[in-house]
Amino acid sequence: MVHDPVFSDYPKEIILKDGTGLTLRPLRAGDEFPLFQMYKELPAEDRWFNDENVTEFSAIEGWVKDSGSPDNITLVAVLEGRILANGRLLREKGSPRAHIGKIRITVVPSYREKNLGTWVLFDLMNLAMSMGLKILVMELVEDRDIAVIRSAKRLDFSPEAILKHFVKDDQGNYRNLIIMVKRLYLGWEYEGGLSLKNPLLRE
């Protein structure tokens, strides 16, 4: 996957607002253990809202294997061998939703107020446009994904719906689910017709 022209800009170096430099690149074979370690070290509150059981190494192995598909893209932010964040872009090719990409982002707690999530989300948006997607959707837990919701709004995602008491956490509590949506086909959003303007670079 990393040799696909869509990924010609990777790996790339990004600078967080505290001056930390990280490498942003596609997930690849060999990332199984660092990705597993990232999830293993997360609080339980940050793990339950996943489609896979991320505490099982076999689930992570399958995730890395599936990331080679053009319909399943994962970016990781790496510092000294540690994965500090990952972002997934999924689509259902061949379905009525083939023009829609679903995004999910996870950032380790110690890097959540440093614009890392915004960087990952911004890059996934540009990859989505390269894939010809028209709509991006994020499903977020209202009182848990506060930093991601803030990043999404900063990049012009809008809350299309709030589903009250919709998902159940690992403690059996029902939580509100926010559906955030961004439409990518508005011409004024493009710079040079190819990519979005990065708000982090305008500051």
Side-chain angles (χ1 to χ4, degrees):
M1 182 181 70
V2 293
H3 299 296
D4 191 294
V6 169
F7 298 100
S8 60
D9 291 338
Y10 297 93
K12 67 166 63 172
E13 300 302 310
I14 60 174
I15 304 297
L16 305 185
K17 68 180 182 180
D18 68 350
T20 303
L22 289 85
T23 300
L24 190 62
R25 60 167 174 79
L27 186 70
R28 64 194 183 197
D31 286 334
E32 292 86 352
F33 185 71
L35 185 61
F36 177 66
Q37 281 297 111
M38 190 198 89
Y39 278 106
K40 187 177 179 181
E41 293 170 7
L42 288 178
E45 167 70 2
D46 294 331
R47 292 196 303 254
W48 64 268
F49 192 57
N50 278 281
D51 296 329
E52 303 92 349
N53 182 357
V54 293
T55 62
E56 294 288 340
F57 188 71
S58 59
I60 298 298
E61 287 181 309
W63 186 344
V64 173
K65 182 179 179 180
D66 291 343
S67 69
S69 164
D71 303 319
N72 185 341
I73 289 173
T74 300
L75 294 180
V76 291
V78 182
L79 177 63
E80 297 177 351
R82 288 184 62 205
I83 293 179
L84 301 177
N86 76 75
R88 303 182 73 186
L89 173 61
L90 310 174
R91 67 171 173 179
E92 299 177 31
K93 194 172 183 179
S95 81
R97 294 178 292 276
H99 62 292
I100 299 171
K102 184 177 180 180
I103 287 179
R104 178 161 296 170
I105 292 175
T106 303
V107 180
V108 299
S110 58
Y111 280 79
R112 285 182 187 165
E113 300 298 331
K114 301 181 180 183
N115 283 339
L116 179 53
T118 304
W119 271 110
V120 175
L121 178 55
F122 171 78
D123 271 59
L124 289 177
M125 287 164 51
N126 273 315
L127 289 171
M129 286 192 297
S130 298
M131 295 162 60
L133 297 178
K134 303 300 183 183
I135 297 174
L136 295 178
V137 176
M138 300 181 73
E139 297 181 356
L140 302 166
V141 180
E142 185 176 37
D143 59 347
R144 188 199 74 149
D145 296 320
I146 297 172
V148 179
I149 291 170
R150 187 184 307 123
S151 294
K153 288 181 177 178
R154 192 176 190 183
L155 291 171
D156 298 322
F157 280 76
S158 61
E160 298 272 323
I162 300 178
L163 306 180
K164 299 288 187 179
H165 312 298
F166 194 76
V167 293
K168 187 165 66 173
D169 65 21
D170 58 337
Q171 301 299 313
N173 302 309
Y174 288 91
R175 314 279 284 272
N176 295 345
L177 186 71
I178 298 182
I179 310 298
M180 305 282 291
V181 174
K182 181 175 177 67
R183 289 166 174 81
L184 296 173
Y185 54 80
L186 300 177
W188 55 266
E189 292 181 325
Y190 294 82
E191 182 179 60
L194 294 175
S195 63
L196 292 165
K197 296 179 181 179
N198 188 338
L200 297 177
L201 301 179
R202 294 202 299 261
E203 295 177 344

